[in-house]
Amino acid sequence: MSLLTAGFDHSPSNADEPLPIIAAPGIYTIEIYPQRHLMVVRAQGQIFKTYPIAVGNSNTPTPVGEYQIVYKGKDWSSSFGPRWLGLNVPWGTYGIHDTNKPYSIGQHLSHGCIRMRNRDVIDLFEMIPVGTTVIIHGHVLGDPNREPRDLAEGDVGAEVQLIQSRLKSAGYFKGTCNGKFRGSTTAALKRFQRDHHMVPNGVVSAKVYEKLGLLE
């Protein structure tokens, strides 16, 4: 199947409608530590359970940031496994699910989603309500020991959302900070580049990161 966004491991089919499971917010939080391949579930702030996981590879990383579980489904496909917990990442479809590649647990091998063992994702599914906060730790620009990637129109991700936010704070970008690098972001970036004596090519280079205060 074709991958429509970086967040897809596979395109789900024959999915159940999202389940109307709502509980009092704040009871549980989920923390994801990609470098440790670890999920920590907290109940009222205290560690309640931990699970080994697989996360995104270097080309399609698991998105860093704070999100929410916005829907839950069962038996989406053989690739997704028995349970799916979808996240509200604005630039793509990302979630927590089982995998038909159990050897990937403990590795950076997904297309950005968070993979779990079959029994673990069923356990999590029964426990966690829609609305639960999911915090994915890491450096939003990637490995802090190397230069962040250049960005241009067509790119998506946390870095794009951060650039949009900085441009918006500076008065250049008027759109929604959704992590999707489209024409409005390009136009805002070019205006910023002109005002800061850079070539207005619409590409987020190391110099742009520096001028926006994201690199020293």
Side-chain angles (χ1 to χ4, degrees), residues 5-6 63-64 67 89-94 156-159 161 178-180:
T5 68
V64 172
Y67 308 103
V89 179
W91 57 84
T93 301
Y94 295 81
V156 297
E159 307 104 313
Q161 188 176 44
N178 57 9
K180 299 177 182 179

Side-chain angles (χ1 to χ4, degrees), residues 98-117:
D98 179 39
T99 178
N100 60 357
K101 300 174 181 177
Y103 60 83
S104 68
I105 301 301
Q107 300 188 61
H108 287 72
L109 283 181
S110 82
H111 290 95
C113 289
I114 298 154
R115 298 178 182 175
M116 302 180 72
R117 296 178 299 199

